[in-house]
């Protein structure tokens, strides 16, 4: 009896494995045709990919699609720009939606070694705005309903993402990015749990590098409101080089031009050396040999609208207490560093930004240095 049961189970396993291997072959031709027709009918761009593989075994209970060497090249003003170059794109589809053959539900997406270059001209024209008007896309119902996004998970491995916005003077680049996100995008309200690590993060505004190839690790859950396109920060942890940060508040994008925010951030009092790790010249050379003691703290707020004409009002407070720095190339330590400073903007007008250091003190060897600093952009300032 036991032998018969074992044989039956073995036969069923063989049948299931054979079916799992064969099912993708039955649908490959149809899916390839729908992928290509969907792409060609919906975008103004040159899109190409190499090998196309289907699998049920590695992605069960979903049907896996792998696009190798996918490229997206712009047209017209962006004819020389490659918007995306992705070594491998993995899509997992709901198997039952494939069998029914009407609408294919995409359950997860994973990008392996993607290079994404998002560019905005001074005119505000963006290279990712490649979708054709709805009238063109709706020429056939088949194209409109071929694929439905029902994401529950997405990921990026070893990516390089660049955002270059000439209209706002913003440049952001993330090198060797690994990122995952989990959440039910079929819902209007849900929590998206994200984890990110970036080997080199660069952020520039107006040509000034505020972060220059710093390392980032972040565990950031977001409460997603897809109808309002509003994202609220949950309890989170962000690490820039050696500095630990946290943020609360929300970010909303009510339209294509505005980004509305209201959030607070803080770096709780910690070692001064953690703050110094953000200074690229120190961190990149012999930061590990730097002797630094003392305490550092920072907190701030940002509230308002970010667009082509305005920035949010903001306030940043920074303090250093009982600091001491001994850098290998300096003949003497910098002792007894005491700093309190504020960078503030009350109304979102960039020229109303004020840098105020009411008092600072340090001692270089036996020589004490005291002073204060007040800078009101764009032209006024005082230092003594």
């Amino acid at each position: 009896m036991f032998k018969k049961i074992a044989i039956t189970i073995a036969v069923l396993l063989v049948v299931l494995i054979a079916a799992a291997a064969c099912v993708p072959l039955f649908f490959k031709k149809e899916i390839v045709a729908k992928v290509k027709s969907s792409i060609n009918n919906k975008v103004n761009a040159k899109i190409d990919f190499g090998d196309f593989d289907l699998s049920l075994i590695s992605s069960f209970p979903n049907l896996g699609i792998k696009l190798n060497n996918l490229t997206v090249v712009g047209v017209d003003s962006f004819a020389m720009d490659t918007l995306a170059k992705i070594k491998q794109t993995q899509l997992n589809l709901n198997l039952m939606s494939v069998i029914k053959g009407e609408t294919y539900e995409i359950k997860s997406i994973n990008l392996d070694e993607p290079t994404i270059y998002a560019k905005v001209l001074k005119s505000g024209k963006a290279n990712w705005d490649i979708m054709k008007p709805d009238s063109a896309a709706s020429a056939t119902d088949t194209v409109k309903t071929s694929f439905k996004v029902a994401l529950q998970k997405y990921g990026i491995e070893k990516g390089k993402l660049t955002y270059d916005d000439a209209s706002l003077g913003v440049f952001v680049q993330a090198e060797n990015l690994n990122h995952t996100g989990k959440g039910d995008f079929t819902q209007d309200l849900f929590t998206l749990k994200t984890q990110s690590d970036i080997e080199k993060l660069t952020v520039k505004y107006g040509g000034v590098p505020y972060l220059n190839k710093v390392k980032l690790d972040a565990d950031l859950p977001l409460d997603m409101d897809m109808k309002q396109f509003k994202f609220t920060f949950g309890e989170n942890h962000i690490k820039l080089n050696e500095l630990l940060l946290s943020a609360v508040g929300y970010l909303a994008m009510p339209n294509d031009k505005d980004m509305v925010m209201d959030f607070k951030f803080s770096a709780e009092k910690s070692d001064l050396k953690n703050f110094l790790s953000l200074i690229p010249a120190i961190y990149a050379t012999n930061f590990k040999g730097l002797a630094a003691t003392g305490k550092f703290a920072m907190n701030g707020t940002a509230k308002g609208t970010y667009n082509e004409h305005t920035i949010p009002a903001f306030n940043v407070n920074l303090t250093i207490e009982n600091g001491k720095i001994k850098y290998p190339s300096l003949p003497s330590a910098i002792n007894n560093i005491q700093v309190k400073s504020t960078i503030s903007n009350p109304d979102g007008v960039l020229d109303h930004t004020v840098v105020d250091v009411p008092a600072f003190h340090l001692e270089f060897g036996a020589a004490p240095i005291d002073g204060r600093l007040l800078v009101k952009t764009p032209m006024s300032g005082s230092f003594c």
Side-chain angles (χ1 to χ4, degrees):
M1 183 68 178
F2 175 77
K3 186 176 181 179
K4 289 182 178 180
I5 294 174
I7 292 174
T8 303
I9 293 174
V11 171
L12 287 173
L13 287 174
V14 170
V15 171
L16 288 173
I17 293 172
C22 293
V23 164
L25 299 178
F26 300 151
F27 295 100
K28 183 171 182 177
K29 185 176 180 180
E30 182 182 358
I31 293 176
V32 170
K34 286 196 175 184
V35 168
K36 289 187 175 181
S37 65
S38 293
I39 291 174
N40 292 330
N41 285 278
K42 287 194 173 184
V43 301
N44 288 311
K46 299 176 182 178
I47 298 179
D48 194 14
F49 55 86
D51 296 335
F52 184 100
D53 298 323
L54 295 182
S55 173
L56 184 59
I57 296 175
S58 61
S59 59
F60 189 82
N62 298 310
L63 177 66
I65 301 178
K66 291 182 180 178
L67 297 175
N68 296 316
N69 301 314
L70 174 66
T71 59
V72 182
V73 179
V75 295
D76 300 330
S77 303
F78 304 104
M80 302 301 293
D81 296 330
T82 299
L83 171 59
K85 183 177 181 181
I86 307 170
K87 182 178 179 180
Q88 187 176 87
T89 303
Q90 169 88 39
L91 305 176
N92 288 331
L93 307 181
N94 182 308
L95 180 58
M96 290 307 299
S97 73
V98 175
I99 293 174
K100 291 179 181 178
E102 297 177 357
T103 300
Y104 297 165
E105 292 186 0
I106 302 175
K107 304 294 286 186
S108 66
I109 298 176
N110 193 79
L111 306 180
D112 184 24
E113 295 188 27
T115 299
I116 310 294
Y117 178 50
K119 181 178 181 180
V120 183
L121 302 177
K122 286 187 177 180
S123 63
K125 186 176 182 180
N127 69 341
W128 64 82
D129 187 14
I130 60 176
M131 301 302 293
K132 291 181 179 179
D134 290 341
S135 57
S138 60
T140 60
D141 291 338
T142 302
V143 172
K144 281 187 67 177
T145 60
S146 291
F147 291 93
K148 173 185 176 182
V149 177
L151 280 182
Q152 293 183 345
K153 182 180 179 180
Y154 66 90
I156 298 173
E157 298 179 22
K158 298 180 181 179
K160 181 178 181 180
L161 276 63
T162 303
Y163 175 72
D164 187 1
D165 191 334
S167 67
L168 299 176
V170 174
F171 178 88
V172 179
Q173 187 172 79
E175 300 178 68
N176 198 11
L177 163 68
N178 295 289
H179 173 84
T180 60
K182 295 181 180 179
D184 190 352
F185 282 84
T186 63
Q187 304 296 315
D188 291 332
L189 299 172
F190 66 96
T191 298
L192 176 64
K193 297 180 179 180
T194 70
Q195 292 181 317
S196 307
D197 70 80
I198 301 173
E199 183 178 343
K200 297 177 181 178
L201 174 64
T202 298
V203 178
K204 297 180 182 179
Y205 181 74
V208 179
Y210 290 91
L211 297 175
N212 190 10
K213 297 184 176 181
V214 305
K215 180 175 175 57
L216 178 142
D217 292 289
D219 185 353
L220 182 62
L222 297 169
D223 292 330
M224 310 285 284
D225 183 340
M226 301 305 292
K227 282 190 174 181
Q228 303 294 328
F229 227 57
K230 179 178 179 181
F231 317 114
T232 303
F233 295 92
E235 184 177 349
N236 56 82
H237 304 282
I238 304 169
K239 185 178 181 182
L240 293 173
N241 283 349
E242 302 299 325
L243 184 65
L244 291 173
L245 303 169
S246 64
V248 295
Y250 72 85
L251 175 70
M253 290 178 279
N255 53 56
D256 293 338
K257 297 181 180 180
D258 296 330
M259 186 181 297
V260 181
M261 62 187 73
D262 183 0
F263 68 90
K264 301 178 181 179
F265 65 91
S266 65
E268 298 300 329
K269 187 178 291 187
S270 62
D271 292 340
L272 175 60
K273 190 173 182 178
N274 294 341
F275 168 67
L276 295 178
S277 73
L278 293 181
I279 303 175
I282 294 178
Y283 192 79
T285 53
N286 37 359
F287 168 69
K288 292 182 179 179
L290 176 71
T293 59
K295 295 298 180 181
F296 161 84
M298 180 177 67
N299 61 72
T301 62
K303 184 177 182 179
T305 301
Y306 179 78
N307 57 30
E308 187 176 355
H309 305 290
T310 185
I311 61 174
F314 63 87
N315 185 79
V316 179
N317 301 301
L318 183 151
T319 62
I320 298 175
E321 298 176 354
N322 305 316
K324 178 180 179 179
I325 299 174
K326 180 64 176 72
Y327 195 59
S329 62
L330 294 177
S332 178
I334 303 174
N335 299 301
N336 197 17
I337 303 171
Q338 312 287 343
V339 178
K340 286 188 177 182
S341 63
T342 299
I343 305 173
S344 61
N345 182 289
D347 54 13
V349 179
L350 189 60
D351 284 347
H352 295 170
T353 303
V354 176
V355 179
D356 186 12
V357 184
F360 70 85
H361 173 87
L362 59 87
E363 298 167 7
F364 187 69
I369 300 175
D370 291 276
R372 59 183 176 85
L373 174 68
L374 179 64
V375 178
K376 298 181 180 179
T377 57
M379 298 298 293
S380 63
S382 63
F383 175 80
C384 63

